[in-house]
Amino acid sequence: MPEAALHVGSGKVRELYALDDDRLLLVASDRISTFDVVLPTEIPDKGRVLTGLSGFWFARTREICANHLLSLRPDGRSTECRRLEMLPIECVVRGYLSGSGWKDYNATGAVCGHTLPAGLTESAELAEPIFTPATKATTGHDENIDDERAAELVGKSLYDEVAGVSIALYRFAAEDARARGIIIADTKFEFGLDEENRLVLGDEALTPDSSRFWPADDYRPGGAQPSFDKQYARDYCETLGWDKTEPGPELPADVVAGTRARYVEAFERLTEIAFDDYLANPSVVLA
Ligand SMILES: Nc1ncnc2c1ncn2[C@@H]1O[C@H](COP(=O)(O)OP(=O)(O)OP(=O)(O)O)[C@@H](O)[C@H]1O
Ligand SMILES: [Mg+2]
């Protein structure tokens, strides 16, 4: 564990330590949550995949938005970062209709106040990516909110800025990933403000935990998509008839191995870096 660092919090996946007043250490565990419930079974190296992919994207998107990354530690799962005042909204961008976006569209024809054309099918690509913010629920599920509510939470001008930056980040990454055979169907960003009140991208970015990654070759709109990411573990959980409340089910060894392989494959496809090279020297993703 980090030397002389004060443990300041635990998320579902990350442990947070204060290195000093201005810097945090974010340590990504191998915990996996599905439907917002942490499962009792870990996915080996998952935290390293998330840390490496986030670092990869942080290094490539600096021109679009400043981010909190300072350095990656040799363990491959610990990120030294700037401590931010996090905004109270989750900044979701959707390029495709899936998950809660699909559910909301089915019920109302709209997602977070964006009215969409009639007759779209599940997993359909949207004409333009849409910004669909959610509240950060302290317990349980995040709740989709419309523009007006989100603007109330952070202020109108900051809201417009995060919406614009989120869409720009998504467009950049989605295009990059598409060229490597991965569709980023949707993704969630978390932003904060630095000591000078500048907008800074924090948390993790464009990982299989914060996004839906679909193999482009198998993309067939009109139903749910097979995916690289934790949808695999989610799908397994769905077969159990589990009520999606604590405690979550154990994952069998084949689901653990299959999920790990998908996380590692997503890493390698997106970064074009062998995962073993990352393990040997995490900084390779920042070059
Ligand atoms: N630079 C930063 N400064 C301060 N807090 C940050 C920073 N980057 C990320 N965080 C916060 O650290 C936590 C990361 O932990 P993790 O991803 O495990 O949480 P989570 O399960 O997604 O959410 P929760 O914390 O609500 O359980 C989040 O609460 C996130 O908002
Ligand atoms: Mg998180």
Side-chain angles (χ1 to χ4, degrees), residues 11-14 90 188 190 203-204:
K12 285 185 288 294
V13 169
R14 288 173 185 74
E90 310 243 330
K188 180 206 71 176
E190 291 189 30
D203 204 51
E204 61 179 333

